[in-house]
Amino acid sequence: MSLLIATASTALAASSVSISDSFKSFLSNIAVNNHETIELRYGEITCALNQEFRATQSKTANTLQVGSYGRWTAIKGISDLDMLYIMPVSAWNTYKDGGQYKLLSKVCEAIKARYPKTDVHVDGLVVRVLYADFHIEVQPVFEESDGSFTYPHTANGGSWKTTKPRLEMKAMTESEQQKNRNLRRLCKMARAWKNKHGVAMGGLLIDTLAHNFLKATSTYDETSYAAYDEMVRDFFAFLKDEPEKDYYAALGSGQRVKVKKKFQAKAKKAFELCETAIAARGQAGAHKKWRKVFGRAYPAPNTEIAKAFKSEGGHFARDTEQFIEDLFPVDIRYDLRIDCEVSQKGFRTIRLLEMLAKRFPLLVSKDLTFEIVRNDVPDGHIIYWKVLNRGPEAIRKDIVRGQIVPDTGQRQRSETTSFRGDHVVECYAVLNGVVVATDRIHVPIET
């Protein structure tokens, strides 16, 4: 990318911003910013279902917001919203004997009738309502005497399952009171990390792990923002040392929460980045180290934001880098992995990740073919690529690049090793207007 010239005023600005102020700003920057739109959509769907099943037009009755939004742990860019619609008790006899799909279809038809231009369809356990940059999964349920809910499952001929979101929300609220309001903030910061680094973790798993971490320690029972650098470091230490499991018992409800992909390796890297950032506390470049953990939402000193790209030799380069979060909401839910085939006439082909693992140098005059080697994103997504050249030579030649471009249909990106620098290639999967998976690979070219 660039080498920014840190002036005395920049250093002063950076050192004068406290950890407390920085983390307050960070959490403000990742706060959900479309509450009004979300609440409007929730209300519209609730009204449609109340009119169908109860002949009323209430926008608030007989519904429960669940998931990350309902637990108040969601962040900016959330695209996967969940809601329960509580069916009338009198309807149970209509659906109890094999009527699971019939119930979901009835809910789907009711929403479609009121909003015919909106994409609404049955998807397994829920009815999905697709909007421009988020979707709501509506689950019709019957409330039980203990506060749990029975919901339809259409697989294998149909069955009824149980969910207990109220217990999960209760556990979250109780822990908030016991842990000085630190749990929800930790959950939100963990979401920023998983979006930055492409960690395929569901929201309930994040909330459960954060809950388990704070429950296991009293260190942060009375601390707040000023200790958040150490709190997130210790949380990542907790994650990296977790034994590999297929599932966890959800906070409050104890229901199984599936582990989609192993998270320990990326947590270990995050822990190391936190250690480096804490060691740089009070220094001019400390915020850059935290940005490596959490992304651009972590604040930078105002004096640095507007600085031009400049090399140490006085050369200028155009700032052409784009950032995916400026183009689409980011809500990582799936796993995407890329690798690179390195080839040159007269030499055997080798994978870049293998080269880096064996510490083989990557020299100039090589052909690089970046490709997707793992991708569990549902069909219908679009792939985008970003190639960023970093280092003094990229600046001197004014070819920083960094534009985000759509894939040509090959699911590959061809490049060459032209000049020295620690370059970066990133890949993004965009589904229904939201980035749901991402991966990056460093390309350290030596002369």
Side-chain angles (χ1 to χ4, degrees), residues 181-254:
R181 300 179 63 191
N182 288 329
L183 177 55
R184 286 194 175 110
R185 293 170 186 162
L186 178 58
C187 293
K188 293 175 182 180
M189 291 187 285
R191 281 169 170 76
W193 162 70
K194 68 103 175 175
N195 285 345
K196 162 69 174 173
H197 295 277
V199 187
M201 296 177 72
L204 185 54
L205 178 58
I206 288 176
D207 294 354
T208 295
L209 289 168
H211 174 268
N212 292 352
F213 162 68
L214 287 178
K215 186 177 180 180
T217 179
S218 60
T219 303
Y220 303 103
D221 286 2
E222 298 179 3
T223 61
S224 190
Y225 295 95
Y228 280 5
D229 55 347
E230 295 179 352
M231 183 177 73
V232 296
R233 176 202 62 193
D234 292 350
F235 175 59
F236 290 126
F238 172 83
L239 290 187
K240 75 179 179 66
D241 292 336
E242 276 291 281
E244 293 181 5
K245 300 179 181 180
D246 293 328
Y247 64 89
Y248 282 82
L251 75 164
S253 70

Side-chain angles (χ1 to χ4, degrees), residues 6-19 21-22 282-287 299-305 307:
T7 63
S9 60
T10 300
L12 179 61
S15 61
S16 64
V17 177
S18 68
I19 287 294
D21 290 339
S22 293
Q283 299 176 18
H287 71 279
N302 291 333
T303 53
E304 186 167 311
I305 292 175
K307 293 190 74 63

Side-chain angles (χ1 to χ4, degrees), residues 17 45 91 107 119 128 150 172 174 194 218 303 307 328 351 365 393 395 417:
V17 177
I45 294 171
V107 168
D119 185 354
R128 287 166 57 88
T150 297
M172 177 66 68
E174 289 175 348
K194 68 103 175 175
S218 60
T303 53
K307 293 190 74 63
F328 304 99
R351 291 282 181 177
S365 302
E393 195 168 353
I395 296 170
T417 56

Side-chain angles (χ1 to χ4, degrees), residues 16 18 26 137 161 189 219 225 280 283 310 349 362 423 432 439:
S16 64
S18 68
F26 170 42
E137 295 186 349
K161 304 290 185 180
M189 291 187 285
T219 303
Y225 295 95
Q283 299 176 18
K310 187 185 296 185
T349 299
L362 178 61
H423 312 306
N432 298 322
D439 194 24

